[in-house]
Amino acid sequence: MNLSTPITVGLTLLVMAGCAKKEKITLETATVDTGEISESVTATGTVESVTQVDVGTQVTGIVDKLYADYNSEVKKGELIAEIEKTLLESELKSADANMESARLTYEYNRTNYERDKQLHDKQLISDYEYQTSLKDYEVSKTAYEKAQADRVRAAKNVNYAEIYSPIDGVVISREVEVGQTVVSSMNVANLYVIADLDNMQVVGNVDEADIGQVKLGQNVTFTVEAYPDDKFHGNVTQVRLNPTTESNVVTYEVVVNAPNPDHKLIPGLTANLTIYVTHETDILTLTNRAFQFTPREYPEAKNLPAADMSAVPDRSALAPDEKLVWKVDGNSLTPAVVKVGVNNRASTQIVGGLAKGDVVAVDYESEASMPGMDGQDAERSPFAPQPPNRNKKK
């Protein structure tokens, strides 16, 4: 039989009795101070060029010369490629000959018509002869106009053999080689892709839960994996209303401009966006917890500020931009209606009703303590293990 068991139980009861504690109630407060409020929405997107042009040829032929290659910087109107012109120039000469032939025929038939008209007016020739002369004149006139149009097209095709850059930019793709035959049918045959790298944009995908907070002009920062230590800046320029659904997730496209003077950003990079839906600096701020405070009575607590309940406004009657707080004035709590501005999950801007340095109530705190005892030793049982060297003599 173990005789130590009753002694252990007795000691445990003594410790529990000795550890009976009471709660000490204190008031937690917050001070109105100058700060900033920032709230953001995150998204991922793709870097794109604002202006990107597929440069092609409208004529069929063999690529004769290429004056630009990958990464070449080109100016608007600069010659960048030529198509072999032999066949095109032959077509132009043929068009010239056809037009000259049509002109001669037209002028001949016009002279005959004008003569036959005078004779017909004097009734010296029949109606049949006059109508035949009129028909020949009109047909030759139409043929001459068609020959002129064919000549314009042939001359234009010769001009199309010289390919000029339509914009200032950088060649990001070259689709052909010298000697390659390009065929123009219904679509223009592409030679180059030129992008304006000075002005880029990021098309980000914002979740449907956040899209309501995104507005035009909001500041945006983003990073790309190619330059992890660099932070790029931009602004929201467009919020597209067409939704995209993938794996039951609905997102909306948000376009962010991205100035790119050093050409670090290139098309296709993945960007991690931070859209600042709220960002205010150097404003008066107060913790949001202060707006939930309600005074309570603790008869056993001493030195708690007393609440003035004589003129407490109804929270439900406040305007959307008004909040109720309890201001600490010495040893009293006074209700105050404040005008608020922007906010996030932690703090709210104070527009009016409070000044910098004002103290407001936030919550009640309780602390457990031994009755009639103060200090650290007041909460320590004599039977509890002592910290090292506690009884060591000095």
Side-chain angles (χ1 to χ4, degrees), residues 2-211:
N2 190 354
L3 299 178
S4 64
T5 301
I7 299 176
T8 302
V9 173
L11 290 176
T12 302
L13 293 176
L14 180 60
V15 170
M16 293 178 62
C19 291
K21 302 177 181 179
K22 66 177 181 179
E23 288 187 339
K24 179 181 179 182
I25 307 299
T26 59
L27 181 65
E28 181 184 357
T29 61
T31 303
V32 179
D33 201 358
T34 302
E36 68 175 38
I37 292 179
S38 179
E39 188 172 14
S40 61
V41 169
T42 59
T44 58
T46 304
V47 177
E48 299 178 357
S49 175
V50 174
T51 304
Q52 181 172 303
V53 181
D54 295 334
V55 182
T57 173
Q58 290 184 279
V59 295
T60 297
I62 298 174
V63 177
D64 187 28
K65 296 177 182 178
L66 294 174
Y67 300 108
D69 202 349
Y70 286 96
N71 303 332
S72 296
E73 293 188 8
V74 295
K75 299 293 183 181
K76 182 178 181 180
E78 179 181 342
L79 180 64
I80 56 177
E82 287 187 40
I83 305 298
E84 209 279 323
K85 298 180 181 179
T86 302
L87 293 178
L88 298 174
E89 290 175 345
S90 297
E91 291 176 358
L92 178 59
K93 291 179 180 180
S94 176
D96 285 336
N98 291 336
M99 186 182 70
E100 182 63 17
S101 174
R103 183 186 67 81
L104 294 174
T105 302
Y106 164 69
E107 291 180 352
Y108 173 77
N109 288 332
R110 183 182 65 183
T111 302
N112 288 341
Y113 164 71
E114 291 174 350
R115 182 184 66 246
D116 289 347
K117 185 177 185 303
Q118 292 178 359
L119 294 174
H120 182 265
D121 290 342
K122 297 177 180 180
Q123 297 182 351
L124 297 178
I125 61 174
S126 65
D127 292 343
Y128 174 78
E129 291 176 309
Y130 170 72
Q131 291 173 356
T132 300
S133 178
L134 175 61
K135 177 185 72 72
D136 292 342
Y137 164 68
E138 291 178 344
V139 169
S140 62
K141 179 181 179 182
T142 302
Y144 179 44
E145 291 174 349
K146 180 179 181 302
Q148 287 178 312
D150 290 343
R151 199 270 175 193
V152 171
R153 181 173 64 251
K156 200 70 175 177
N157 285 341
V158 174
N159 292 336
Y160 283 149
E162 296 179 348
I163 313 300
Y164 297 90
S165 174
I167 61 171
D168 294 343
V170 176
V171 176
I172 62 174
S173 177
R174 177 172 58 81
E175 308 292 338
V176 295
E177 300 287 347
V178 173
Q180 182 176 336
T181 300
V182 289
V183 179
S184 176
S185 54
M186 296 298 293
N187 299 319
V188 175
N190 286 340
L191 304 181
Y192 296 100
V193 177
I194 299 178
D196 178 10
L197 297 187
D198 289 331
N199 299 291
M200 305 294 286
Q201 65 182 15
V202 180
V203 180
N205 298 311
V206 177
D207 189 84
E208 61 177 324
D210 299 323
I211 193 63

